[in-house]
Amino acid sequence: MAWFKRDKKRIESPVPPEERRVRTEGLWIKCESCRAIVWKKDLEANWNVCPKCQHHFRLTAKRRLELLLDGRWHEHDAHLVSTDPLEFVDTKAYIARLTDARRKLGMSDAIITVEGTLDARPLICCSMEFAFIGGSMGAVVGEKVTRAIELSIARKLPLVIVSCSGGARMMEGTISLMQLAKVSAALARLDEVKLPYISVLTDPTTGGVTASYAMLGDLNIAEPGALIGFAGPRVIEQTIRQKLPEGFQTAEFLLQHGFLDAVVPRKDLKAYIARALDFCLA
């Protein structure tokens, strides 16, 4: 029997094996609603709305401003930062959480306050960032919202606040809860001078933010499917000792029961707010 042996060397690729693999990680995303696999760039081009089922993914605070405003804006109070008044520590020191969030997001806290235009209509706009410690409201968020309201009064401009929050920031204890009363009192002054305030509730809007400025708008509107509520379902059921209807904390359920004025798809949000401002300022 004859044996044959390859004498020539194999052709080696100049590219290492690990670099020859097709890199697809992070290029696709699975829709949380319809479970379809969506090309990430297509999703971003559609303002993070699933092209198959219209499920609304979260937007960052800055991306939200890009959606609503005309392109350029002036940020206010960007220098305000929390001082960790309680020196709070749980599984991680609160000051370390703040430092990490500021470094990753390039923001001082969980909200951005800007002055800009929406379809050529000047206004003050606040946009919350859920990725910053759950979009929670501490002393800085409360102070920035209050200053935004005071700026609206001083400039005689309408106010739009986009909420996306897990509620009050309990790492600041009572100080965070005091923000509910402070912001609500400031909004009462805004109402006295008859300037419109439009509240936009996105997924999720819960806790102390829902219990204060998120539900105090002259017009309260939400995105489709947004989770909106004060406490979690288990806490409510244990308190009232009744079984709750399915989906009772969705934007659609709240609209049906009179807690919201409208549920507006993201692509229509800018035009809807523009028409609402025209009506309120007429």
Side-chain angles (χ1 to χ4, degrees):
M1 176 181 273
W3 292 90
F4 297 93
K5 184 178 180 182
R6 179 187 294 269
D7 293 327
K8 296 182 180 179
K9 294 182 179 180
R10 294 182 178 180
I11 300 174
E12 295 292 342
S13 170
V15 182
E18 62 273 12
E19 295 185 16
R20 290 202 300 268
R21 300 190 187 99
V22 177
R23 296 176 182 245
T24 59
E25 184 178 356
L27 299 180
W28 301 86
I29 190 167
K30 181 182 285 187
C31 177
E32 301 167 9
S33 179
C34 67
R35 315 304 291 173
I37 305 300
V38 183
W39 183 249
K40 197 170 183 179
K41 288 188 176 180
D42 288 345
L43 188 68
E44 292 171 353
N46 200 36
W47 295 105
N48 276 29
V49 177
C50 176
K52 301 184 183 298
C53 71
Q54 304 305 307
H55 172 72
H56 285 52
F57 290 80
R58 288 176 191 151
L59 278 180
T60 65
K62 293 178 181 177
R63 187 82 168 127
R64 178 73 61 178
L65 293 175
E66 293 172 0
L67 168 70
L68 294 179
L69 302 186
D70 292 338
R72 298 184 64 183
W73 58 76
H74 174 67
E75 184 174 356
H76 292 275
D77 304 314
H79 64 285
L80 296 181
V81 293
S82 291
T83 58
D84 189 16
L86 305 180
E87 298 181 356
F88 188 89
V89 178
D90 50 10
T91 56
K92 188 177 182 179
Y94 175 44
I95 194 66
R97 293 185 189 277
L98 287 171
T99 302
D100 289 347
R102 290 169 189 155
R103 185 182 68 253
K104 291 176 182 177
L105 300 171
M107 299 171 57
S108 62
D109 216 284
I111 196 166
I112 303 175
T113 300
V114 303
E115 183 176 352
T117 59
L118 186 153
D119 268 356
R121 299 160 180 83
L123 81 168
I124 305 298
C125 183
C126 299
S127 180
M128 300 194 73
E129 175 56 71
F130 190 80
F132 197 109
I133 314 181
S136 50
M137 177 176 64
V140 169
V141 171
E143 180 65 17
K144 291 181 78 168
V145 172
T146 302
R147 291 190 183 193
I149 297 167
E150 293 171 346
L151 186 63
S152 291
I153 296 172
R155 302 281 178 88
K156 294 182 171 55
L157 294 175
L159 174 68
V160 174
I161 299 179
V162 182
S163 298
C164 185
S165 173
R169 187 174 299 173
M170 298 315 297
M171 290 83 99
E172 295 184 16
T174 305
I175 294 173
S176 67
L177 297 177
M178 291 169 63
Q179 308 310 311
L180 281 72
K182 181 170 79 173
V183 172
S184 299
L187 284 172
R189 295 196 298 274
L190 186 71
D191 184 62
E192 289 172 0
V193 298
K194 302 186 184 306
L195 286 170
Y197 161 43
I198 297 177
S199 177
V200 182
L201 296 87
T202 68
D203 183 66
T205 300
T206 59
V209 170
T210 304
S212 56
Y213 57 85
M215 281 294 190
L216 291 177
D218 297 305
L219 188 66
N220 296 326
I221 60 180
E223 289 188 334
L227 171 67
I228 302 168
F230 177 65
R234 185 178 64 179
V235 173
I236 299 173
E237 286 185 346
Q238 290 174 348
T239 302
I240 66 175
R241 299 187 180 184
Q242 293 183 24
K243 186 66 178 175
L244 297 166
E246 186 176 352
F248 77 103
Q249 289 182 318
T250 61
E252 290 75 11
F253 186 95
L254 295 179
L255 175 65
Q256 184 180 355
H257 291 79
F259 285 88
L260 292 174
D261 297 300
V263 175
V264 184
R266 187 171 292 166
K267 64 182 178 63
D268 300 327
L269 204 53
K270 183 173 182 177
Y272 186 95
I273 294 174
R275 291 195 302 272
L277 290 176
D278 287 343
F279 177 82
C280 293
L281 295 170

